[in-house]
Amino acid sequence: MQSGFEPCLLAILRLSVGRPPGTDLAGGWLPSALARTGHLVRAAELAYTISDELEQGRELLELVKAAAGAGDLCGAQALAESIPLGQQRDQALVALVPAWVRAGERARAVALAERIRYPHNWGWAWALLAKAVADSGDIDEALRFAARADDEVSSYPVDGTENVLALLVEVAVATGDHDRAAALADRVEDRFRSRNPAGWSKPRPLAVVLAREALAGDLDRLDALMSTEPEPAVGADGTLCGWALGEAADQDMVQEGDLDEVDALPPSPRSPLDAWDMACVLDAVAETADQDVALALADRAETLLETGDGRDHDILLRSVTLLLARHGQVERAMALADLLEPDLRVGRQAEIVGELARYGDTGGAEALAHAIPDRRAQSSALIEVVRELARRGDPDRAEALVHSITDRWAQGEALIAVARELARRGDPGRAEALTRSIAYRATRARALAALVELSEPSQACRLAAQVVVLDGWNPVLPVLERIVPRSVSVVVDQMTS
């Protein structure tokens, strides 16, 4: 008690913590929280109990990033150098290169980049170094490091080269060399056209380049990629797109004697830019594009939906729908939502309501939410409107809207945002009183946890204790990580004792 409020709170945490059966402390949020709060050694001890070497390396890599983000670069580097697997050790060291630059230790960053072991990581390390130096304002050094990165990927092209080139585009833009940026973007496009990588690597480098150009009002490259080109035909040597057809394909697709007929068929048109790429572009610019650019991209996306081959159609449909709603084009967005099955349509309509509210039309969003026929989707939509009203500094109207939500759980979810805004505006008493009207204990605990970080220390202690009583230590620990860093180690020690 002599040291103030902290011992009481830590005692409450100790009393509340138990280890549920099957809890794995070696991975997940708790070890990273230990690393962020100055207990990197303890976190590493937990990670080293993982028997699978690959999984252990992944966890150690996350701890390195967490410690570096918290400013413990020396500890992070020592841990990185101890990672057994060479590739993951390289990845950890690469992640530390820009961190040392941001800490003002450029010489250490350069020395670390020189120590990267595997050639396929060299280009990425030097590109990250160039970007960090460019962000610091040193144009000449940034250009020198960018040239080194370019040399590495040019002399040793590997998977991921397009990612390095896309980052070098950003460096060129940051240094004011727009001609160089355009030339690098051309190389990204060339690799895209020659390799056409699988859609799982989101966001794809070409989409990053296209998004940057679109934000600058330049849609020329996007339009060129959208222009259709013929599908390659099966040739007499049994190849398709440069790859030999397998035996099954030979039997099922091309019967003996039919090759001449196949060659005679007119090739079907397709766009080299697929739906996934376009969705990545739309998602990247949704928050920052001006109205003209957003609508121009939406027009092109709808064209691609009509003429594309159908792969990832639903992903692009969602992206263009929300982009339109985000820019106030609610009728077009709802028309696209009407293309979905009824059980999916109401969920998309709720998303449209949220984007329309973020656009600023909270009145229209509220009306649209009430028009949704499905009760659950309507509640979800109204939650988003309440959150946006609170974020915009109108807690009174937000609270009034909560009463139109018929689902008690959804009411509680919406009230969290209202209580947080009231506390932020200096009315903690009203905020706390509002949390008492929340029906569900777990939701009420989360609302109180949101108030902890906005309260004075003694008040934060009292609220945190209430959270623990309501729903245990889980909801409050992420907040206490910043207020009482020792709380994370107390919980872990109690769970492992």
Side-chain angles (χ1 to χ4, degrees):
M1 294 296 295
Q2 292 178 352
S3 60
F5 72 92
E6 185 177 331
C8 286
L9 185 54
L10 295 180
I12 291 171
L13 284 171
R14 286 191 182 96
L15 290 171
S16 71
V17 171
R19 182 170 183 180
T23 299
D24 182 10
L25 288 177
W29 181 82
L30 278 173
S32 294
L34 283 172
R36 289 191 297 267
T37 54
H39 300 88
L40 181 59
V41 172
R42 184 77 177 93
E45 288 173 351
L46 291 173
Y48 276 117
T49 64
I50 300 174
S51 58
D52 183 87
E53 196 173 35
L54 185 60
E55 182 61 32
Q56 180 192 96
R58 281 196 289 262
E59 184 61 33
L60 291 170
L61 174 58
E62 292 306 311
L63 294 182
V64 168
K65 294 177 180 178
D72 184 10
L73 290 176
C74 291
Q77 184 164 333
L79 181 59
E81 291 168 344
S82 74
I83 296 177
L85 292 180
Q87 169 60 9
Q88 290 170 323
R89 183 168 58 249
D90 251 19
Q91 290 175 333
L93 294 176
V94 169
L96 290 173
V97 168
W100 278 117
V101 175
R102 290 191 290 269
E105 298 280 353
R106 186 180 303 176
R108 294 192 69 162
V110 174
L112 196 59
E114 295 282 6
R115 290 177 50 200
I116 304 301
R117 178 177 181 180
Y118 295 112
H120 59 268
N121 293 319
W122 293 346
W124 189 241
W126 289 104
L128 287 171
L129 180 56
K131 181 64 167 63
V133 171
D135 290 341
S136 72
D138 190 340
I139 303 302
D140 292 337
E141 280 291 274
L143 291 174
R144 184 168 71 86
F145 294 135
R148 174 74 179 270
D150 198 352
D151 288 343
E152 297 293 356
V153 295
S154 297
S155 60
Y156 196 87
V158 294
D159 286 344
T161 292
E162 55 268 29
N163 292 286
V164 177
L165 295 174
L167 183 57
L168 292 179
V169 171
E170 295 187 33
V171 175
V173 171
T175 58
D177 191 346
H178 296 284
D179 290 339
R180 175 68 175 159
L184 288 164
D186 289 342
R187 290 167 61 187
V188 174
E189 181 185 341
D190 289 343
R191 287 187 64 83
F192 168 81
R193 287 181 179 273
S194 62
R195 298 180 64 222
N196 197 17
W200 55 263
S201 56
K202 183 181 181 180
R204 288 155 73 167
L206 181 63
V208 175
V209 169
L210 293 173
R212 175 177 290 279
E213 291 179 344
L215 288 173
D218 181 2
L219 300 178
D220 290 345
R221 189 186 308 276
L222 181 68
D223 288 338
L225 285 165
M226 284 191 64
S227 61
T228 55
E229 60 185 29
E231 289 274 12
V234 178
D237 59 351
T239 61
L240 176 64
C241 297
W243 297 90
L245 289 170
E247 292 181 3
D250 285 330
Q251 296 168 4
D252 297 337
M253 295 175 60
V254 184
Q255 299 296 323
E256 186 175 357
D258 289 342
L259 290 175
D260 292 338
E261 295 181 18
V262 171
D263 285 336
L265 292 174
S268 58
R270 69 178 178 92
S271 167
L273 188 74
D274 64 21
W276 192 303
D277 291 299
M278 181 64 87
C280 289
V281 174
L282 300 189
D283 294 344
V285 306
E287 295 294 326
T288 52
D290 62 32
Q291 189 83 342
D292 290 342
V293 168
L295 295 182
L297 287 172
D299 291 341
R300 287 158 173 80
E302 290 191 62
T303 298
L304 191 57
L305 286 171
E306 294 169 358
T307 60
D309 58 12
R311 290 176 299 177
D312 302 317
H313 177 279
D314 291 343
I315 294 172
L316 179 56
L317 181 62
R318 179 179 185 273
S319 293
V320 67
T321 301
L322 298 186
L323 176 72
L324 287 166
R326 185 69 179 80
H327 288 268
Q329 303 295 305
V330 65
E331 292 183 1
R332 283 181 67 181
M334 293 295 282
L336 290 174
D338 287 341
L339 299 175
L340 299 172
E341 296 294 328
D343 56 335
L344 299 176
R345 184 184 308 149
V346 291
R348 185 62 48 79
Q349 289 171 344
E351 291 182 295
I352 290 172
V353 167
E355 293 300 327
L356 184 61
R358 282 181 277 277
Y359 169 70
D361 186 2
T362 52
E366 180 182 347
L368 193 61
H370 285 299
I372 296 176
D374 181 84
R375 178 170 171 266
R376 181 176 297 180
Q378 181 186 101
S379 295
S380 176
L382 289 171
I383 288 172
E384 293 302 317
V385 180
V386 169
R387 287 173 176 168
E388 187 60 24
L389 285 170
R391 191 188 71 81
R392 290 174 176 268
D394 194 352
D396 294 333
R397 185 180 164 202
E399 184 180 354
L401 182 57
V402 170
H403 298 301
S404 69
I405 300 176
T406 56
D407 181 84
R408 295 180 71 195
W409 175 86
Q411 281 184 349
E413 286 294 312
L415 284 173
I416 294 176
V418 181
R420 183 188 293 114
E421 178 59 20
L422 287 171
R424 192 190 67 80
R425 294 165 69 88
D427 195 350
R430 183 182 167 193
E432 186 178 347
L434 197 60
T435 64
R436 296 194 194 102
S437 67
I438 296 176
Y440 292 92
R441 291 170 63 92
T443 310
R444 197 186 321 152
R446 287 171 45 227
L448 288 169
L451 303 184
V452 170
E453 59 185 324
L454 298 169
S455 303
E456 295 296 323
S458 60
Q459 177 80 346
C461 171
R462 186 175 63 81
L463 294 173
Q466 290 183 34
V467 175
V468 174
V469 171
L470 280 169
D471 200 32
W473 58 269
N474 284 282
V476 79
L477 199 59
V479 180
L480 292 184
E481 178 187 336
R482 296 186 292 274
I483 299 172
V484 190
R486 284 175 54 200
S487 60
V488 180
S489 60
V490 164
V491 167
V492 172
D493 289 343
Q494 193 72 19
M495 293 180 75
T496 56
S497 62

